[in-house]
């Protein structure tokens, strides 16, 4: 149901033929769409407003790069600003400090993923940093919460403070820290019960836990699908408990994750980690780039724009576009395209960058695209004579057998390539009639061969 | 419609903070003010802040523009009209879940993403139906998450309903099948099937959910008779994708909105009501066993816009 931002902007800039700097009017038109895109991605309204203003300042007067459209240029500016607002490209590591045992306090709403994250962090610290970690559950409210942590602790092979029936959270926290000191633990992870930020009593309780343990890190765990309330949640937790970092969970879902931006903006705390699956090792350092792409719903267009700027000169693209308009698309052109694709990186990485591709990701996975496909297809074209490349109609059965042998492939592979070429060339002709607009406005890129048909 | 048990008060208490905000916003906007473009835009933003989504907020405001543009309006009028508009959208979907005693058992499959509140909701539903004199069996088909079974067993004790369990890692569909067989032979009125939380874009996990349905249908071709999607009130626009995916996979028949005692407004249900028209059966307003209540359109709408607060 969501239009991607680049799609929206494409519409606005379609009429815009001139190149050069972005004017204030262009930018204003774009900003309206950016605002909607961010709101649809669940970025909280006050944060959206500040953000859009920031983009306005940056975008007006900006020179449009060769080989991209003004729309793509604005998307790039938005994206860069987004990365900055999310905390930059460099992830901020957990602060373990110098004087063990260091307490890490996990806080958040019910169902945000605290317990699973606690276990994941324990595993990460044990494995990657070789730390001696103790897990403790302060959740005396939710049924079987302590058992859940117990099971997870077993899975990640980290000891857990044995629960004592009836013990209150503050007492548990003290006992955990004492055990940590006596038994030489580096880190004590305190998993607390889920609580509403408006529940005064429980917020006071967790503030007390914080007071008696002086955690180096107080991590607010929040679900990537949180809506507008993210600002209230983050602000309240930060004011009442004092947050040092954020953990975004369920990033493996398809929510756009605007909450990340909201919470980062109101707390100023770095987003340190993100949960990307149900397994205990599905925890990664926060990647601003990945989340930014999702918030904008556009895949990694920026990476694509940058790569295109590097590798596809506009002149080449225009030459190609002219050929397409005339319906002249030879196997040599196809080979050039394949080479360009190869220069730009891996197939999967590339496809991930194409806007709107999210929907068909599964199909792509099923199609088993591998990076050998392009070199193989290039080899087939290389094994043809010049005449054959320019006029594939002459390719009879015996020539096809020769080409297969010469390229180390099979006749079926050759046939498949030719069929794809035929389809592409037909499509090009049709697009040519429509005005020569390819995937990238006037550029000459096209879907790589061998891709499953888009629905 | 009873407002007994003080649920309405609790819902209000929960909504107070947020609605105060939205209410204050409206008051600030419209005191001695003409309903002009700027005012309408701010009104739209207030609705967006309640998670109604850009489209739904825009359309509700369009209605205002048509009917009230340039009129002098008091904050009270704006709130009442806004509440009426929202309630009109919600009324058709405010339907309690009716159990058909003739089915013996009426199978209720409960699904949703991780952490949405499925297990807690099941505990509450079991208690309610038991209080209604129904014989309720619970199937702990979340065989994946650590200690999910233990959690449900405690809810079983609290509600006084037996729980069918298997070891972690066991086949969820098989467990559901066994539970249904037992419910049939022992004459239970209701079988509540808890399932593991799953993100709707995980194909393998969604297939597993469909498998539960397929297997259960071997015993009763009409089962599950109800399929509840449990959703957290803090959720944003991803709710649309959730409803779509779960509906396609297991024919969701109704929604339960949980954690409405927080400051989140759950406004996305307004958009969901318009887009899908699925019944909203109940709302969760706390961690206690009785903190589950029927969804009432008017009360929800009025609380949402900050009416009935003073």
């Amino acid at each position: 149901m969501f239009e991607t931002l680049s799609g929206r902007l494409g519409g606005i800039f379609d009429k815009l033929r001139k190149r050069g700097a972005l004017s204030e009017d262009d930018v204003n038109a774009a900003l309206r769409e950016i605002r909607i895109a961010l709101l649809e991605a669940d970025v909280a309204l006050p944060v959206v407003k500040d953000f859009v203003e920031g983009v306005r300042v940056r975008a007006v007067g900006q020179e449009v790069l060769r080989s991209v459209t003004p729309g793509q240029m604005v998307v790039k500016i938005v994206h860069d600003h987004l990365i900055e607002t999310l905390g930059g490209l460099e992830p901020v590591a957990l602060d373990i400090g110098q004087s063990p045992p260091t307490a890490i306090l996990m806080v958040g709403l019910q169902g945000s993923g605290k317990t699973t994250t606690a276990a994941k962090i324990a595993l990460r610290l044990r494995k990657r940093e070789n730390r001696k970690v103790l897990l403790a559950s302060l959740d005396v409210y939710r049924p079987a919460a302590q058992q859940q942590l117990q099971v997870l602790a077993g899975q990640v092979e980290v000891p857990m403070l044995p629960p004592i029936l009836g013990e209150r959270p503050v007492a548990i926290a003290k006992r955990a820290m004492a055990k940590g000191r006596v038994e030489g633990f580096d880190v004590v992870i305190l998993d607390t019960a889920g609580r509403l930020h408006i529940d005064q009593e429980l917020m006071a309780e967790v503030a007390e836990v914080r007071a008696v343990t002086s955690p180096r890190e107080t991590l607010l765990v929040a679900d990537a699908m949180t809506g507008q309330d993210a600002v209230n949640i983050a602000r309240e937790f930060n004011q009442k408990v004092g947050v040092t970092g954020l953990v975004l969970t369920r990033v493996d879902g398809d929510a756009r994750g605007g909450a990340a931006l909201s919470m980062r903006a109101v707390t100023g705390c770095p987003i340190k980690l993100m949960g990307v699956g149900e397994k205990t090792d599905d925890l990664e350092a926060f990647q601003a780039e990945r989340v930014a792409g999702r918030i904008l719903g556009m895949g990694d267009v920026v990476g694509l724009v940058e790569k295109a700027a590097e590798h596809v000169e506009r002149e080449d693209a225009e030459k190609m576009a002219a050929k397409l308009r005339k319906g002249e698309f030879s196997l040599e052109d196809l080979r050039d395209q394949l080479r360009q694709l190869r220069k730009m990186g891996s197939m999967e990485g590339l496809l991930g960058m194409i806007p709107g591709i999210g929907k068909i990701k599964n199909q792509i996975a099923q199609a088993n695209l591998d990076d050998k496909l392009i070199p193989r297809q290039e080899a087939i074209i290389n094994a043809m004579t010049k005449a054959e490349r320019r006029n594939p109609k002459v390719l009879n059965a015996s020539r096809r057998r020769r080409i297969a042998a010469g390229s180390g492939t099979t006749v079926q592979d050759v046939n498949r390539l030719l069929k794809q070429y035929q389809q592409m060339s037909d499509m090009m002709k049709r697009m040519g009639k429509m005005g020569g607009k390819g995937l990238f406005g006037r550029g000459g890129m096209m879907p790589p061969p061998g891709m499953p048909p888009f629905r | 419609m009873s407002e007994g048990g003080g649920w309405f008060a609790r819902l209000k208490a929960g909504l107070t903070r947020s609605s105060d905000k939205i209410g204050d916003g409206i008051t600030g906007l419209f005191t001695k003010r003409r309903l002009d473009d700027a005012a309408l835009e701010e009104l739209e933003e207030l609705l967006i802040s309640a998670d109604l989504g850009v489209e739904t907020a825009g359309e509700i405001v369009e209605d205002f523009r048509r009917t009230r543009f340039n009129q002098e309006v008091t904050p009270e009028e704006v709130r009442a009209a806004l509440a009426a508009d929202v309630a009109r959208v919600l009324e058709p979907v405010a339907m309690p879940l009716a159990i058909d005693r003739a089915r013996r058992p009426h199978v209720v499959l409960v699904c949703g993403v991780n952490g949405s509140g499925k297990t807690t909701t099941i505990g509450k539903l079991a208690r309610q139906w038991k209080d209604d004199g129904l014989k309720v069996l619970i199937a702990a088909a979340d065989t994946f998450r650590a200690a999910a079974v233990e959690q449900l067993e405690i809810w079983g004790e609290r509600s006084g309903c037996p729980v069918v369990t298997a070891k972690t890692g066991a086949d969820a569909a098989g467990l559901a099948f066994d539970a249904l067989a037992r419910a049939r032979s022992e004459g239970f009125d209701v079988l509540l099937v808890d399932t593991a939380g799953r993100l709707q874009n995980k194909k393998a996990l969604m297939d597993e959910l469909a498998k539960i349905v397929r297997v259960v249908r071997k015993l009763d071709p009409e089962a599950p008779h109800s399929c509840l999607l449990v959703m957290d009130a803090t959720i944003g626009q991803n709710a649309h994708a959730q409803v779509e995916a779960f509906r396609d996979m297991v024919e969701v028949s109704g929604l339960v909105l949980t954690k409405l005692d927080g400051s989140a407004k759950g406004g996305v249900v307004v958009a969901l009501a318009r887009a899908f028209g699925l019944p909203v059966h109940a709302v969760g307003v706390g961690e206690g066993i009785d903190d589950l209540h029927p969804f009432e359109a008017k009360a929800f709408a009025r609380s949402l816009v900050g009416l009935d607060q003073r």
Side-chain angles (χ1 to χ4, degrees):
Chain A
M1 70 169 289
F2 300 116
E3 255 188 288
T4 63
L5 181 59
S6 27
R8 287 171 174 282
L9 295 180
I12 291 181
F13 288 107
D14 256 1
K15 292 174 204 130
L16 204 68
R17 291 261 175 244
K18 70 178 164 61
R19 295 266 160 176
L22 294 168
S23 77
E24 182 144 13
D25 282 351
D26 302 341
V27 173
N28 282 341
L31 287 179
R32 271 195 294 278
E33 298 301 323
I34 291 162
R35 176 181 168 276
I36 292 173
L38 293 175
L39 288 171
E40 282 182 346
D42 292 323
V43 181
L45 189 64
V47 178
V48 170
K49 286 186 166 174
D50 287 351
F51 183 86
V52 163
E53 209 31 60
V55 171
R56 187 195 311 276
V57 171
R58 274 171 93 143
V60 173
Q62 180 81 38
E63 207 50 46
V64 177
L65 263 178
R66 290 194 327 163
S67 82
V68 301
T69 66
Q72 287 166 351
M73 196 69 219
V74 174
V75 168
K76 174 160 165 53
I77 294 168
V78 171
H79 183 94
D80 290 352
H81 193 55
L82 195 48
I83 298 260
E84 230 168 77
T85 317
L86 283 170
L89 290 175
E90 279 304 305
V92 182
L94 285 179
D95 179 8
I96 302 306
Q98 300 299 326
S99 47
T102 301
I104 297 181
L105 183 63
M106 314 289 300
V107 299
L109 299 184
Q110 289 93 342
S112 55
K114 287 173 298 303
T115 304
T116 307
T117 304
K120 287 177 176 178
I121 290 177
L123 178 65
R124 191 179 171 89
L125 291 177
R126 177 176 76 76
K127 266 202 167 161
R128 291 199 175 199
E129 302 190 18
N130 221 0
R131 306 278 182 171
K132 196 175 166 196
V133 184
L134 178 67
L135 278 164
S137 172
L138 279 54
D139 187 350
V140 298
Y141 305 100
R142 208 197 66 198
Q146 300 195 330
Q147 273 149 292
Q148 184 187 354
L149 189 63
Q150 186 80 68
V151 172
L152 290 169
Q155 284 175 12
V156 300
E157 296 171 41
V158 163
M160 174 174 158
L161 184 78
I164 295 176
L165 198 69
E167 195 177 23
R168 304 302 301 167
V170 175
I172 300 174
K174 284 183 185 160
R175 188 160 60 91
M177 293 315 290
K179 184 181 167 80
R181 268 189 298 276
V182 173
E183 299 182 19
F185 282 96
D186 298 316
V187 180
V188 178
I189 301 179
L190 305 166
D191 180 29
T192 65
R195 64 201 71 220
L196 291 166
H197 49 289
I198 56 170
D199 186 328
Q200 303 296 347
E201 208 176 303
L202 284 181
M203 290 302 277
E205 177 201 276
V206 75
E208 199 187 336
V209 169
R210 187 187 151 98
V212 301
T213 56
S214 326
R216 190 95 192 171
E217 291 274 15
T218 300
L219 300 176
L220 174 62
V221 181
D223 192 318
M225 57 185 100
T226 310
Q228 297 279 323
D229 204 38
V231 273
N232 302 325
I233 296 165
R235 191 185 296 118
E236 294 283 313
F237 268 100
N238 195 31
Q239 279 171 7
K240 290 181 182 150
V241 191
V243 171
T244 60
L246 305 164
V247 180
L248 197 63
T249 59
R250 305 193 185 115
V251 176
D252 50 328
D254 60 6
R256 303 270 291 276
L261 189 66
S262 305
M263 298 199 295
R264 159 84 212 192
V266 295
T267 61
C269 292
I271 305 167
K272 298 203 162 177
L273 296 162
M274 55 188 198
V276 294
E278 298 193 25
K279 292 195 297 299
T280 48
D281 59 354
D282 290 330
L283 184 74
E284 294 177 3
F286 177 70
Q287 295 157 32
E289 207 157 26
R290 182 165 162 193
V291 172
R294 294 168 55 136
I295 289 177
L296 296 180
M298 59 180 200
D300 189 2
V301 163
V302 183
L304 193 57
V305 168
E306 273 166 3
K307 287 198 165 166
E310 267 170 54
H311 297 292
V312 187
E313 281 310 309
R314 177 152 163 253
E315 287 71 21
D316 294 346
E318 300 232 309
K319 229 187 282 167
M320 179 66 76
K323 276 190 167 179
L324 297 183
R325 269 195 292 279
K326 283 185 241 154
E328 293 168 11
F329 179 66
S330 69
L331 278 162
E332 280 175 344
D333 297 326
L334 176 59
R335 186 175 57 181
D336 288 346
Q337 295 269 318
L338 292 173
R339 282 181 180 159
Q340 261 175 10
L341 279 174
R342 271 178 80 179
K343 270 196 279 181
M344 287 171 66
S346 85
M347 220 34 194
E348 219 180 305
L350 210 59
L351 289 173
M353 291 184 203
I354 298 176
I357 208 107
K359 285 180 205 147
I360 56 161
K361 249 183 198 148
N362 287 340
Q363 278 164 275
I364 292 171
Q366 279 160 14
N368 264 333
L369 278 183
D370 63 320
D371 286 326
K372 290 194 189 106
L373 185 73
I374 290 180
R376 214 182 295 135
Q377 296 199 324
E378 207 185 311
I380 293 173
I381 300 178
N382 283 340
M384 296 176 186
T385 66
K386 250 183 195 168
E388 285 167 346
R389 282 179 216 139
R390 286 183 189 154
N391 184 15
K393 288 199 182 82
V394 302
L395 288 170
N396 58 22
S398 95
R399 282 176 189 254
R400 290 181 192 208
R401 269 197 302 278
R402 190 204 78 235
I403 292 165
S407 59
T409 58
T410 64
V411 175
Q412 284 79 22
D413 289 331
V414 176
N415 288 342
R416 208 172 299 134
L417 174 87
L418 288 171
K419 196 171 166 205
Q420 274 160 9
Y421 161 74
Q422 194 52 50
Q423 284 170 350
M424 285 171 74
S425 140
D426 290 349
M427 190 175 77
M428 299 291 155
K429 274 179 204 153
R430 248 176 302 158
M431 285 193 339
K433 279 179 202 139
M434 279 157 48
K437 265 195 262 163
L439 187 55
F440 296 107
R442 274 136 49 76
M445 293 264 301
M446 61 198 72
M451 292 241 327
F454 291 14
R455 273 189 301 184
Chain B
M1 269 189 244
S2 96
E3 291 187 0
W7 90 266
F8 184 64
R10 293 197 65 164
L11 176 61
K12 269 200 306 193
L15 284 168
T16 297
R17 247 150 248 279
S18 52
S19 313
D20 271 358
K21 222 169 294 148
I22 206 172
D24 289 350
I26 293 174
T27 311
L29 278 181
F30 295 109
T31 307
K32 293 172 191 167
R33 192 163 168 187
R34 202 173 268 282
L35 203 54
D36 56 10
D37 278 326
L40 283 171
E41 195 187 320
E42 286 170 53
L43 185 59
E44 182 178 352
E45 291 184 344
L46 287 167
L47 292 176
I48 288 171
S49 297
D51 284 321
L52 267 77
V54 177
E55 197 186 318
T56 303
E59 293 187 17
I60 289 177
V61 167
E62 248 341 278
D63 269 3
F64 264 73
R65 183 189 302 279
R66 269 199 303 278
T67 54
R68 292 185 175 75
F69 192 65
N70 255 342
Q71 289 178 13
E72 292 280 355
V73 280
T74 66
E76 206 63 23
E77 282 171 338
V78 171
R79 285 186 211 213
L82 193 58
D85 281 4
V86 172
R88 208 173 308 126
V89 176
L90 293 176
E91 247 144 32
V93 300
M95 270 181 249
L97 178 56
I99 294 297
D100 185 347
R101 286 171 191 250
R103 291 204 170 104
R104 305 204 104 200
H106 182 122
V107 179
V108 180
L109 184 71
V110 180
C111 58
V113 299
N114 317 60
S116 57
K118 291 173 294 300
T119 305
T120 306
T121 300
I122 284 177
K124 295 170 178 177
L125 282 171
R127 165 66 160 261
Q128 260 180 18
W129 288 333
K130 179 143 204 264
D131 288 350
D132 290 345
L134 295 167
K135 205 175 156 195
V136 181
L137 183 65
I138 303 172
D142 179 355
T143 52
F144 178 81
R145 208 202 67 200
V149 171
E150 287 83 351
Q151 186 185 352
L152 195 58
E153 277 177 328
I154 294 171
W155 281 110
E157 278 165 35
R158 289 182 183 175
S159 60
C161 300
V163 181
V164 182
T165 62
K167 274 208 262 336
T168 302
D171 178 43
L175 177 97
F177 182 91
D178 292 347
L180 179 54
R182 175 173 162 195
R184 282 161 74 107
S185 69
E186 297 179 19
F188 280 90
D189 298 304
V190 183
L191 173 64
L192 268 164
V193 183
D194 190 15
T195 63
R198 64 201 77 222
L199 295 173
Q200 73 275 8
N201 60 334
K202 305 252 163 150
K203 192 165 183 309
L205 294 179
M206 293 301 277
D207 286 344
E208 187 195 281
L209 191 61
K211 183 182 163 195
I212 295 178
V213 171
R214 261 197 328 272
V215 169
V216 159
R217 282 188 180 153
K218 289 185 179 164
L219 277 182
D220 181 349
E222 284 173 20
H225 308 93
S226 304
C227 179
L228 303 182
L229 177 60
V230 178
M231 210 174 254
D232 182 326
T234 57
I235 194 170
Q237 301 308 306
N238 192 243
H240 290 270
Q242 284 183 22
V243 172
E244 250 167 51
F246 278 100
R247 187 193 56 177
D248 290 351
M249 202 45 102
V250 290
E251 296 166 39
V252 170
S253 62
L255 308 176
V256 175
L257 192 64
T258 62
K259 305 179 201 170
L260 207 53
D261 47 335
S263 67
K265 301 110 192 171
V268 73
V269 293
V270 181
L272 294 178
R274 287 160 40 105
F276 302 99
L278 279 173
V280 184
H281 291 313
V283 294
V285 291
E287 290 182 283
I289 198 160
D290 296 319
D291 294 331
L292 185 78
H293 300 287
F295 177 76
E296 290 182 24
K298 269 200 186 110
F300 182 88
R302 287 176 72 82
S303 292
L304 193 73
V305 300
L307 280 166
D308 296 337
Q309 299 294 322
R310 284 153 295 173

